[in-house]
Amino acid sequence: MTAPSTGRQVIRIDGTRPPSAGLVAAVTAACERVEDRGTPTRVVVEASGAPDGEWTRGLTPGLVGKWERALRRLERLPAATVAVATGDCGGTALDALLAADHRVVSPDTRLVLPVAAGAPWPGMALYRLVREGGGTGAVRRAILFGAPLEAADALALHLVHAVSDDLPGALEAADGLAGRVPGAELAIRRQLMLDASSVGFEEALGAHLAACDRALRQTDAGTAP
């Protein structure tokens, strides 16, 4: 589920398959390789497929929790994460797509919350859809009724950041964008961004001042990128 690539750590997610111990181990191992690297890298998540039928058979709350924690680790990596998706994207593929910093999809992509027990799956993809797409009608229909989100709608809601027929070219462009900021600095700014919607000004001020102090010290030391 992972593959090496020059300057990239590639993670391939098959959304037709449910979370598994093997998938958790693969994503965790990829995260460990990124965290242990001494040189900058970028993570590319290749996601496609959506589950159907009795896809939750054998799933346990413990395994779901481990999968969500692996995604959270991916989301907090000291590296830029870029996801590319094609076709229907649901289940584990949708989870991984929404955890990435920059998301590129093909025009035929649909974001799909899989159904379990007759209703859309209430995993953390639901949380990320609302956090980034708000309570819009399209997001509400997806969460409450399982209506797919077409690529154009996902782009308008900023759930994805580019729709392209040329995914390799779009990935190269994303590499250029992601390569501007060192991984550790990107991780700091990502966390400040994620906290902004839930943390009050006074509470957030200390973290922002600490980040500013870090940037000033790097500038004074001549280590700024």
Side-chain angles (χ1 to χ4, degrees), residues 13-65:
I13 305 290
D14 180 358
T16 65
R17 299 182 178 181
S20 65
L23 178 58
V24 171
V27 172
T28 299
C31 291
E32 288 175 349
R33 285 192 289 271
V34 171
E35 292 163 350
D36 292 343
R37 285 179 67 110
T39 55
T41 189
R42 280 177 286 287
V43 177
V44 175
V45 176
E46 298 178 353
S48 64
D52 57 15
E54 297 181 354
W55 68 275
T56 58
R57 185 182 297 277
L59 270 184
T60 65
L63 181 54
V64 173

Side-chain angles (χ1 to χ4, degrees), residues 170-187:
L171 184 55
E172 289 296 331
D175 272 352
L177 176 68
R180 298 175 184 175
V181 181
E185 298 306 314
L186 183 145

Side-chain angles (χ1 to χ4, degrees), residues 51-132:
D52 57 15
E54 297 181 354
W55 68 275
T56 58
R57 185 182 297 277
L59 270 184
T60 65
L63 181 54
V64 173
K66 290 178 180 178
W67 169 238
E68 296 290 4
R69 286 192 290 274
L71 287 172
R72 187 59 168 162
R73 187 170 181 178
L74 176 67
E75 196 171 38
R76 291 179 167 180
L77 280 179
T81 53
V82 179
V84 291
T86 57
D88 279 3
C89 185
T92 54
L94 179 60
D95 291 338
L97 176 78
L98 294 176
D101 295 319
H102 187 73
R103 305 156 202 157
V104 183
V105 302
S106 60
D108 67 337
T109 297
R110 303 192 308 168
L111 307 189
V112 183
L113 280 174
V115 172
W121 180 246
M124 291 301 287
L126 184 156
Y127 170 88
R128 292 184 174 93
L129 284 172
V130 174
R131 187 180 185 112
E132 299 196 33

